[in-house]
């Protein structure tokens, strides 16, 4: 087993073998955690209304990105708990795609989705999670690329924000 | 209807901190209507607490259940098994509900998850207003069914204070002047003569000031 200079230093300072073993154990677990965090994918969950977005995304799939699409008959079907559960199950960011205001097939589904997203933002703030991780966008069905552009923008944004929950927090 | 609002997550986190297994108990009657303690709110709160604890690196087990009414024994007994599986109950019922649950399950801590505000009505979507103070001495027949005890900031019973402007209260410009509403309503009903009736000071003993009240049928 390869021992770094830091580890050896700690070992020589440790009073007994038992303590040294504990130190090694702790250091190893920290290194493993860091490795796991490094290996963690950036996960984005997209809730979309079928009337404005087709769920097809031509973004290049890479090892460190995971996109999950959830189809809704109308963005008004979205509930606050869906967004929170997405974060609970490891999403780093959640995007809601609804029709432009005034163009909802069910009159005000997109307005309801907007209110519910705002409520979740408020909850995330209280929890201590950056509320920018959840966003709602109004997408026109005529513009096929806008959905992808939003996801792409979110991915670059995630590089700054990092992971929502660490690997150890997720397994709790 | 009893109107309440959910406590902030930070306060709820502090309240439930000593426990590892929590039952979030909703109420499907009044507090459901005001979006504070129904089935949906229980699910959202459960998820939010779970997320908050994960964020803090702590573990908690959450069970969710919503009763039809928390203030009636007939419905409370449905929670018995779920209560047995948990260390504490976080009740999203009104103050009466929390106490009724606590009385039934003596050995389990029952914690309040909402702040009970008032007896009111849904005026329009998302707006609840206080309409009744439960003073125990209803005089609504004289006032055209507008309660000055609750809706007048000064609780005046024998005419307006004279400080209102454009039908709004001088204490809060967003609140309607109760006496403006009373006079308008009595005019429409042709009962303005009612205002000639002198109303003696209220006997507050029939209300909260007389201590806990009982009602026997």
């Amino acid at each position: 087993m390869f021992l770094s200079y830091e580890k050896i230093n700690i070992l020589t300072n440790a009073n007994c073998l038992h303590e040294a073993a504990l130190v090694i154990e702790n250091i190893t677990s920290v290194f493993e955690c860091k490795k796991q965090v490094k290996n963690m994918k950036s996960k984005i969950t997209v809730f979309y209304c079928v009337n404005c977005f087709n769920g097809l995304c031509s973004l290049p799939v890479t090892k460190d990105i995971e996109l999950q699409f959830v189809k809704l008959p109308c963005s008004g079907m979205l509930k606050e708990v869906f967004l929170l559960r997405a974060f609970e199950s490891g999403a780093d960011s959640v995007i809601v795609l609804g029709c432009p205001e005034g163009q909802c097939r069910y009159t005000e589904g997109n307005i309801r989705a907007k209110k519910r997203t705002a409520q979740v933002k408020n909850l995330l703030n209280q929890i201590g999670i950056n509320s920018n991780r959840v966003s709602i966008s109004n997408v026109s069905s005529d513009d096929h690329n806008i959905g992808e552009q939003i996801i792409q923008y979110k991915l670059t944004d995630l590089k700054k924000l990092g992971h929502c929950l660490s690997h150890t927090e997720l397994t709790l | 209807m009893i109107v309440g609002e959910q406590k902030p997550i930070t306060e709820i986190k502090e309240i439930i901190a000593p426990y590892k297994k929590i039952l979030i108990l909703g109420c499907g009657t009044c507090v459901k209507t005001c979006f504070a303690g129904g089935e949906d709110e229980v699910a959202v709160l459960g998820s939010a607490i779970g997320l908050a604890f994960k964020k803090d690196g702590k573990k908690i087990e959450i069970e969710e259940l919503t009763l039809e009414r928390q203030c009636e024994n007939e419905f409370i007994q449905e929670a018995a098994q779920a209560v047995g599986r948990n260390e504490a109950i976080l009740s999203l019922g009104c103050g009466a509900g929390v106490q009724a649950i606590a009385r039934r399950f003596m050995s389990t801590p029952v914690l309040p998850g909402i702040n009970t505000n008032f007896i009111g009505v849904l005026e329009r979507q998302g707006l609840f207003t206080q309409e009744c103070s439960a003073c125990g001495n209803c005089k609504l027949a004289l006032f055209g069914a507008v309660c000055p005890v609750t809706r007048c900031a000064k609780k005046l019973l024998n005419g307006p204070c004279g400080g209102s402007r454009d039908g709004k209260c001088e204490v809060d410009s967003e609140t309607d002047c109760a006496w403006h509403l009373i006079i308008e309503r009595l005019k429409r009903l042709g009962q303005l003569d009612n205002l000639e009736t002198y109303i003696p000071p209220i006997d507050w003993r029939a209300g909260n000031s007389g201590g806990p009240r009982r009602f026997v049928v």
Side-chain angles (χ1 to χ4, degrees):
Chain A
M1 180 184 155
F2 173 76
L3 286 176
S4 69
Y5 176 74
E6 279 175 355
K7 278 187 193 175
I8 295 164
N9 226 2
I10 293 164
L11 275 174
T12 46
N13 288 339
N15 290 333
C16 64
L17 205 63
H18 177 66
E19 277 182 32
L22 281 175
V23 169
I24 289 179
E25 202 177 303
N26 284 339
I27 291 171
T28 320
S29 65
V30 167
F31 271 81
E32 271 173 12
C33 272
K34 277 187 180 173
K35 201 175 159 187
Q36 279 165 342
V37 169
K38 210 177 172 184
N39 292 338
M40 268 175 78
K41 289 179 177 180
S42 292
K43 191 175 167 185
I44 295 182
T45 307
V46 184
F47 290 90
Y48 68 94
C49 163
V50 287
N51 300 307
C52 68
F53 185 66
N54 53 15
L56 298 171
C57 187
S58 58
L59 286 173
V61 180
T62 56
K63 278 181 185 176
D64 54 345
I65 297 167
E66 188 183 335
L67 291 174
Q68 192 177 24
F69 291 93
V70 183
K71 191 161 73 174
L72 298 167
C74 170
S75 58
M77 293 295 288
L78 186 80
K79 286 186 174 184
E80 293 92 335
V81 72
F82 297 166
L83 302 176
L84 290 169
R85 293 264 154 89
F87 282 111
E88 267 192 291
S89 55
D92 296 308
S93 187
V94 177
I95 299 170
V96 181
L97 300 177
C99 299
E101 283 189 24
Q103 289 181 30
C104 175
R105 185 176 283 191
Y106 307 100
T107 321
E108 53 178 25
N110 47 5
I111 297 167
R112 287 182 182 179
K114 194 178 169 184
K115 279 184 186 171
R116 288 167 190 167
T117 310
Q119 207 175 334
V120 170
K121 273 177 176 279
N122 178 32
L123 278 172
L124 290 181
N125 274 333
Q126 288 186 50
I127 292 166
I129 293 173
N130 192 329
S131 61
N132 289 335
R133 288 184 185 276
V134 61
S135 62
I136 182 164
S137 303
N138 298 113
V139 178
S140 172
S141 57
D142 302 331
D143 197 344
H144 299 292
N145 297 325
I146 190 80
E148 273 182 32
Q149 283 171 14
I150 290 165
I151 296 166
Q152 184 66 61
Y153 172 77
K154 206 44 134 178
L155 279 169
T156 43
D157 206 26
L158 266 184
K159 281 176 188 164
K160 288 180 217 160
L161 290 171
H163 291 293
C164 180
L165 294 174
S166 70
H167 181 82
T168 33
E169 284 165 356
L170 271 173
T171 50
L172 278 172
Chain B
M1 178 180 69
I2 293 167
V3 180
E5 60 181 337
Q6 221 171 76
K7 286 177 180 286
I9 299 288
T10 40
E11 190 181 339
I12 292 177
K13 260 170 66 184
E14 275 176 32
I15 296 174
I16 63 172
Y19 310 102
K20 301 277 178 221
K21 283 182 178 179
I22 288 281
L23 170 68
I24 302 179
L25 197 60
C27 179
T29 310
C30 309
V31 288
K32 181 186 180 178
T33 318
C34 60
F35 310 107
E39 207 164 10
D40 286 351
E41 290 74 35
V42 168
V44 169
L45 184 64
S47 197
I49 291 175
L51 204 55
F53 271 70
K54 274 184 182 178
K55 185 77 192 151
D56 294 348
K58 293 175 188 167
K59 201 175 177 181
I60 188 162
E61 279 179 43
I62 297 165
E63 191 174 340
E64 297 164 8
L65 180 70
T66 303
L67 301 177
E68 188 63 34
R69 263 198 286 286
Q70 283 194 17
C71 52
E72 274 184 45
N73 265 340
E74 193 183 338
F75 298 107
I76 294 173
Q77 63 190 12
E78 290 170 19
Q81 285 187 337
V83 171
R85 288 191 291 268
N86 291 280
E87 291 175 11
I89 305 165
L90 179 67
S91 166
L92 296 191
C94 65
V98 173
Q99 293 180 66
I101 297 283
R103 204 172 297 155
R104 180 85 187 193
F105 306 107
M106 294 298 275
S107 53
T108 311
V110 185
L111 317 159
I114 71 167
N115 292 322
T116 311
N117 293 338
F118 52 79
I119 301 173
V121 296
L122 174 67
E123 196 156 304
R124 59 177 160 81
Q125 196 180 11
L127 176 68
F128 297 86
T129 49
Q130 187 176 9
E131 306 286 331
C132 176
S133 301
C135 69
N137 219 332
C138 195
K139 297 260 190 300
L140 281 173
L142 285 172
F143 300 119
V146 178
C147 178
V149 176
T150 308
R151 300 180 65 185
C152 172
K154 299 168 188 176
K155 299 190 191 304
L156 297 179
L157 296 174
N158 289 291
C161 64
S164 68
R165 255 186 211 173
D166 303 325
K168 298 289 177 188
C169 177
E170 68 171 351
V171 174
D172 177 8
S173 58
E174 284 189 11
T175 308
D176 291 327
C177 167
W179 272 99
H180 179 85
L181 296 175
I182 290 168
I183 291 166
E184 289 297 315
R185 175 102 173 127
L186 290 179
K187 261 188 207 169
R188 190 172 288 185
L189 295 172
Q191 295 176 357
L192 267 176
D193 294 349
N194 284 0
L195 298 181
E196 287 178 10
T197 315
Y198 168 70
I199 313 289
I202 291 180
D203 179 5
W204 293 107
R205 285 173 300 180
N208 254 344
S209 311
R213 288 169 276 176
R214 291 181 71 193
F215 176 65
V216 184
V217 182

